[in-house]
Amino acid sequence: MTISAYWELDPAAEPQRFEPLAGRQLPGIVKSQRGPALNRFDYYAQVGSAAAQAGFSGLFIRHREEADESRVIAAAVAREVPGIVLVPEFPASVGSAVYAAKQAVSFQRSTRNRLGWAIAAAEGAADRRRSGDYIGADDLGERLEEFLTVARGVHAAQPFTFEGRHFAVKDGGFADPLNRADFPQVFLQGEDEEDLEYSARQADVHLFRASALADVSRQVETLDGLGKRTGRPVAYGLLQPVVARPFADEAQRHAERIGAPAEALVGSYDEVAARLADLAGVGISHFVFRSLPSLEEAYLVGQHVLPRLRARLSTLRVAA
Amino acid sequence: MAIDFYWRLPTHGCHSSLRTHDYDRGDWSPLRPGNIAPGPASDGGADQFAYIDHLSQIAKAAEGAGFLGGLIPSFPGTEDPWVISSLLARETSTFRFMLAFQPGFGNPVHSARAAASLQRLSGGRALFNIITGGGGPSQLWWGDSFSHDDRYGRTREWLDVFRGVWGGGSFDYDGRFYQVENAGLAPLLANEEFPEMWFSGSSDAALEVAARHADYYLSWLEPFDQLADKFDRVKERTARLGGEQKCAIRVDLVARPTEEEAWREVQIGFENVSEERRRTRTRGTDSVGAARQDALRPADATRYDDLIVAPNLWGGFNLLRGGPALGIVGSYEQCAERLDELIALGADGFILAGTPHLEEAWRVGEEVLPLLGQSGVALLQAAE
Ligand SMILES: Cc1cc2nc3c(=O)[nH]c(=O)nc-3n(C[C@H](O)[C@H](O)[C@H](O)COP(=O)(O)O)c2cc1C
C-alpha cells in the first residue's frame, strides 16, 4: 500500500518566527538587520519547503481563529514551493459554497492541481457566534453536506441548479476553461457516528484523531461498513503527533519539553516507523504528522521516519 | 495633491491586441501557436506556464512603470482576486492588490481574518473594490437571489461588521443580514492597517452606502459633465455625514504617439466585430451603472466614428472586450490632457487599463503619466 504523508503547519503555534518584534530580542551587542521585510509568512514558506524537500506529499494547514487564514497561507506557500499538495483546513461557515469552489478552481489552475480541502470540525456555540455563524447546532451537518454538494456541483456540471436550506444556485456551474481543473480532494474529520456517515457520503479522505491501534482499527471498520452502503471509496487518515529521535529516551525528553499530547507516537525512528506500519496495516493510508518546532521536526520525520516506514511497507508487500 | 494611479489585472485572459477578439494570453481561447501562458509545448499539449505567470508579469510591469497597484476584477468566468493576491504577494514588492469583492459571498468575520492575513503577507498592500453585483442570471449563478436594494443593505452591514471586528476587542452586532457576538480579530491579526475601500455602484442605494464606508467612490468613465455631476452628488452626500469623499475613475486608454495611430487601433478593432455582437445590448442586469454605460451606445452604429461622443472619448470599448463602453483614445499628450481634465473635475484616483495589459502598463507609465499636470487645464487649476 502506498501512503501519503503530510506535514502539519499550525499557524498559531510559532507566530514569533521571522517576526522582528516577537520572540526573543537580540541584545545590542549583536548587530542586527532584522526588520519588517520578513515576517511569519517567511516561516510558513520555509516549513512548506521543508516538507517538500524532506519527502512529504503535502502540507496540511490548520484552521485557527486566532491566526492567519489557512487558504491565504496555502496560496502564498504554493507559489513558492513546487511539488507538494497544500491542504488548508477551514470551516463550512466561510460563506458562499460557489465562491469557495471558484477560489479552489483558481488555485488549482495556478498550481497544477495541488489543492486539497479539509473542512474543520464545527466549533461550540459561543465560538460560532463570535465568528458570525448563527445556525443551530442541529443544522451544522446539513450545512456541511450542502456546502460540499454545491461546491462539487458547480464544478462538475453546467448548468447546475440546487435549492437547499443553506445554499441555492440557479443555472450555475463553471464554464471552460475553469471546469478543466480538478476538484480538490476533500478531507473530513470526526469520531461520532454522524461524522462517519457524512464522510461515507462526502469525504475522499476521513481523518481520525490518533488513538490506540485497536480503536483506530474499530473506527476504520465502522466507516468501511458505512462506505459499503454508499458505494463510494473513502480513504482513511490519521492526525498523528509524533516525536522521533535516534534513541527512545531522547524522543521522550523532547516530548516532555514541548508537551506532546498523550496520543503522540514517541520513540526511536525504528519504533515509530514500526507503529506507523501497524496503523497502515489496519487501513490508514494518509498520515498528517505534527510536532514542534515544525521546521526542525519536519526534517527529522522526513529524513528518518518516512524512509523506514516506506521500507517496512514495501517489505510487507513483498512478503505478501 | 498627488493622485493615485492604479493599473488593472485582466482576470479573464488578455489579448495581444485590441484589434482581435481571441484571447491569446491565458486559456480562454483554444491553444494555438503563439499563445502565451500556457503556450503550446512540442508534444502538442500545453507548456509549463499557467495564466498566473502572465498576471505576475503584468503586476511587476505595473509596479515598475509607476502604478501603485492594480484592480483585480471578479466575474463568473475569471480567476479569483483573493487567490491571485495571495499567490503573487511574495514575488512583488510594492504592487497593491485591489480585490473586487461582493461582500455577500463571504462571512464578514472570516473575511476580515483573511484580509488581515493578506495584509501581513503583503506588508499592507491589500485594498478592496467593494461591488454589489448586477443582479439577474449572473447573481443567481453565484448563488445569490437577493434583490438590488437588499444586496446594498447586506453590503452595508457586511462593511459594518468587517470594520467592527478589525482592530480586535469585543464587537456585537445585530443586523438584518449579519449577527455577531463578542467578536474581534485575535491579537496576532489586530495590528494590521485597515484596507482602503473603493466602492462601486451608481444607484441611490449604492451612494448611500458609499457615503458611510467608501474611502474612494469609484465610477466607470462617463461623459465628463455627467461624471462631474455624479461626483458632486457623492461628495455632497458624504459631506452631510461630516466626511470628505474622494472619487476615482476606472477607464481604458488607447494611447499612441499620434492621435491617428490611436484611432487606427480602434477602427480596426471595430471593423473586426461581428454584426451580431454589435447589436447585442447588456441584458438581465439591475445595474444602474451598466444602464448608464449602455445608454452611450447607439445599437445602429455602423462606423467606429459614430461612437465618438466627445474629443478623444469613444463609446464602443465594450464591443472590443468585456467591460464598460467609454474610454479615452488619443495621442500621449491628448490622453494626459483628458486625465488632467478629469482631475480638475474631481478625480482623486484612477484605475487605468489598456490592451495588452502588460505592454500598455509600460507604455502608459512611461509615456502618459510623465505628462500629467503640465497641460493648460492643470496649470490653470494650479494658478487658481
Ligand atoms: C469600476 C467598477 C468596477 C466593477 N467591477 C466589477 C467586478 O469586478 N465584478 C462584478 O461582478 N461587478 C463589477 N462591477 C459592477 C457592480 O458589481 C455592480 O453591478 C454595479 O455597480 C451595479 O450597481 P448599481 O446598480 O448601483 O450601479 C463594477 C462596477 C464598477 C463601476
Side-chain angles (χ1 to χ4, degrees), chain A residues 11-12 15 19-20 39-42 45 63-72 75-76 78-80 90-91 93-96 98-99 102-107 109-112 126 129-134 158 168-174 176-178 180, chain B residues 27-29 46-53 56 74-84 86-88 90-91 100-101 104-107 109-111 113-114 116-118 120-121 123 137 140-144 173 179-184 186 188-189 192:
Chain A
E19 289 283 339
N39 70 32
R40 55 186 184 260
F41 277 84
D42 294 280
H63 164 67
R64 296 287 182 233
E65 279 300 335
E66 68 274 31
D68 293 306
E69 207 268 344
S70 61
R71 291 177 299 169
V72 171
R79 182 79 182 150
E80 189 156 320
F90 59 92
S93 59
V94 286
S96 150
V98 176
Y99 199 81
K102 186 146 177 295
Q103 291 183 301
V105 160
S106 208
F107 192 110
R109 287 165 48 73
S110 303
T111 63
R112 309 192 144 235
R129 286 197 299 275
R130 280 168 54 84
S131 320
D133 185 19
Y134 270 64
Q158 194 195 27
V169 182
K170 186 152 178 296
D171 293 335
F174 301 144
D176 187 76
L178 302 195
R180 282 187 241 152
Chain B
D27 51 356
W28 279 263
S29 291
D47 66 13
Q48 78 273 27
F49 295 105
Y51 188 58
I52 189 72
D53 299 307
S56 169
S74 168
F75 290 93
T78 68
E79 303 285 10
D80 175 70
W82 290 88
V83 175
I84 291 169
S86 307
L87 286 166
L88 298 183
R90 284 175 62 79
E91 65 200 69
F101 187 58
F105 299 169
N107 166 322
V109 181
H110 189 89
S111 301
R113 198 162 67 80
S117 306
L118 189 52
R120 193 68 185 162
L121 162 62
L140 297 166
W141 182 98
W142 284 110
D144 182 14
Y173 192 82
Q179 299 85 39
V180 292
E181 187 182 301
N182 190 23
L188 197 61
L189 299 163
E192 301 304 323

Side-chain angles (χ1 to χ4, degrees), chain B residues 73-75 100 102 129 131-134 148 152 200-203 206 218-220 250 286-289:
Chain B
S74 168
F75 290 93
Q102 293 198 39
N129 172 24
I131 49 178
T132 302
H148 182 278
Y152 276 107
S200 302
S202 297
S203 56
L218 176 62
S219 175
W220 286 315
R250 151 85 194 89
D286 57 22
S287 162
V288 173

